[in-house]
């Protein structure tokens, strides 16, 4: 398969989404590719079959099966297959928040790494796009993937307790959890927990929980037309729908109902 799909062609969406999926392919026969001045989007490439080679920043990188190769926008690069076939799964992304996120995690101009979990995340996003998943939902999944890659690449610098805390919140955000619950699970003091969240994510544990709840609320508003606002409020962990509406408006500058109507308009 030598074709790929462009997404997010609507300027309203491109301006609205902080990060968006620009193009992708879940099964791409990678041709000789040369960008002497770089390209305007950031790339993530997963080698599915065969082997390739990339020449970037004066270095040569071998793209073996099951490895993930990332390179930033505007970095001159040449890459090609050294075997036949050389098949990849790839996605490109951009958006107003993309550079900010990459810089926050100190992404280099390029990096090659292996992770079965992250490879599956990347591949699943491409399959979801193949199946017609809405671009707004794909945007959230790309944002999550870049965050997860950033944490993975900085694993040596991240305390194990912080990783446990983040994992606990992601698995329990919809429950009535407290900072005390998180610190006990991560086996760390509450003061150190706050310090680590400020240092590594520039936020607080409570704000991180709220953001996850709002992100999931947006997912339900976009994909579950039969759920009421009260249903969604309860599903994402708000005990009071009025507080949910107030918090959503504070975060997104519109109410949940307005958000739902807006998304229906741009279908």
């Amino acid at each position: 398969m030598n074709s790929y799909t462009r997404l997010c062609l609507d300027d309203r969406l491109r301006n609205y989404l902080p990060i968006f999926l620009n193009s992708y392919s879940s099964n791409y026969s990678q041709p000789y590719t040369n960008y002497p001045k770089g390209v305007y989007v950031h790339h993530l490439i997963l080698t599915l079959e065969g082997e390739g080679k990339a020449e970037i920043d004066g270095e040569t990188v071998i793209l073996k099966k099951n490895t993930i190769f990332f390179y930033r926008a505007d970095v001159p690069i040449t890459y090609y297959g050294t075997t036949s076939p050389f098949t990849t799964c790839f996605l490109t992304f951009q958006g107003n928040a993309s550079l900010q996120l990459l810089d926050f995690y100190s992404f280099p101009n390029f990096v090659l790494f292996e992770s079965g979990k992250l490879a599956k995340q990347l591949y699943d996003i491409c399959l979801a796009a193949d199946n017609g998943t809405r671009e707004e939902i794909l945007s959230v999944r790309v944002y999550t993937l870049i965050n997860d890659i950033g944490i993975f690449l900085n694993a040596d610098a991240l305390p194990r307790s912080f990783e446990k805390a983040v994992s606990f919140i992601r698995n329990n955000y919809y429950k009535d959890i407290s900072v005390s619950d998180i610190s006990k699970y991560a086996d760390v003091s509450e003061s150190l927990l706050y310090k680590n969240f400020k240092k590594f994510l520039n936020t607080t544990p409570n704000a991180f929980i709220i953001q996850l709840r709002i992100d999931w609320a947006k997912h339900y508003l976009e994909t579950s037309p039969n759920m009421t606002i009260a249903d969604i409020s309860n599903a994402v962990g708000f005990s009071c729908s009025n507080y949910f509406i107030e918090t959503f408006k504070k975060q997104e500058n519109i109410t949940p109902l307005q958000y739902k109507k807006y998304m229906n308009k741009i279908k």
Side-chain angles (χ1 to χ4, degrees):
M1 180 175 175
N2 280 48
S3 63
Y4 60 89
T5 302
R6 287 284 308 277
L7 289 177
C8 215
L9 301 178
D10 188 329
D11 283 341
R12 292 175 300 173
L13 272 180
R14 295 168 74 91
N15 292 327
Y16 172 73
L17 296 173
I19 287 181
F20 57 86
L21 182 60
N22 181 78
S23 63
Y24 80 95
S25 176
S26 59
N27 187 15
Y28 190 60
S29 296
Q30 185 69 58
Y32 178 90
T33 302
N34 180 35
Y35 297 122
K37 295 184 178 179
V39 67
Y40 64 95
V41 288
H42 310 289
H43 275 69
L44 276 168
I45 303 170
L46 169 65
T47 301
L48 299 176
E49 187 178 8
E51 191 170 292
K53 184 180 290 187
E55 297 169 3
I56 183 170
D57 268 3
E59 296 187 36
T60 298
V61 179
I62 305 301
L63 309 179
K64 296 182 179 180
K65 184 176 180 180
N66 297 327
T67 59
I68 301 173
F69 180 55
F70 164 81
Y71 67 92
R72 284 181 179 252
D74 301 322
V75 178
I77 184 172
T78 300
Y79 56 94
Y80 47 90
T82 54
T83 66
S84 183
F86 174 47
T87 309
T88 67
C89 159
F90 79 88
L91 63 83
T92 68
F93 65 95
Q94 60 183 134
N96 295 331
S98 58
L99 273 177
Q100 181 181 3
L101 186 60
L102 294 175
D103 288 345
F104 177 77
Y105 284 112
S106 300
F107 273 70
N109 281 346
F110 71 92
V111 64
L112 183 74
F113 59 95
E114 288 186 60
S115 167
K117 177 185 175 182
L118 295 173
K120 185 177 186 305
Q121 278 182 256
L122 195 163
Y123 188 64
D124 285 350
I125 290 172
C126 294
L127 289 183
D130 275 339
N131 291 328
T133 298
R134 287 176 60 88
E135 291 166 334
E136 299 83 3
I137 298 172
L138 294 172
S139 170
V140 173
R141 295 184 67 173
V142 171
Y143 186 90
T144 300
L145 174 60
I146 303 308
N147 268 291
D148 289 347
I149 292 174
I151 291 173
F152 174 82
L153 294 177
N154 290 279
D156 291 341
L158 293 175
R160 175 60 180 154
S161 61
F162 176 73
E163 294 183 49
K164 288 179 68 177
V166 170
S167 177
F168 180 79
I169 294 172
R170 283 182 171 164
N171 291 329
N172 297 278
Y173 71 91
Y174 56 91
K175 299 178 183 177
D176 183 19
I177 57 174
S178 66
V179 171
S180 176
D181 296 328
I182 301 165
S183 65
K184 286 177 182 177
Y185 180 84
D187 194 24
V188 66
S189 70
E190 292 184 25
S191 61
L192 184 55
L193 183 71
Y194 274 102
K195 185 181 293 185
N196 283 339
F197 265 82
K198 182 65 176 177
K199 178 179 180 181
F200 297 113
L201 291 179
N202 196 30
T203 189
T204 66
N206 286 327
F208 187 71
I209 294 170
I210 292 296
Q211 188 58 59
L212 274 177
R213 288 175 175 174
I214 296 301
D215 288 343
W216 275 102
K218 289 164 69 175
H219 167 76
Y220 289 128
L221 288 165
E222 294 162 8
T223 62
S224 304
N226 294 326
M227 290 183 74
T228 66
I229 299 301
D231 290 336
I232 294 172
S233 170
N234 185 63
V236 300
F238 287 93
S239 58
C240 171
S241 56
N242 285 337
Y243 178 58
F244 164 61
I245 294 169
E246 178 185 334
T247 304
F248 191 99
K249 186 174 182 179
K250 184 177 180 181
Q251 295 282 103
E252 302 295 324
N253 295 317
I254 56 174
T255 66
L257 186 58
Q258 288 170 332
Y259 181 87
K260 186 175 186 177
K261 288 179 178 178
Y262 173 75
M263 287 303 169
N264 286 333
K265 283 182 182 179
I266 61 176
K267 280 184 178 180

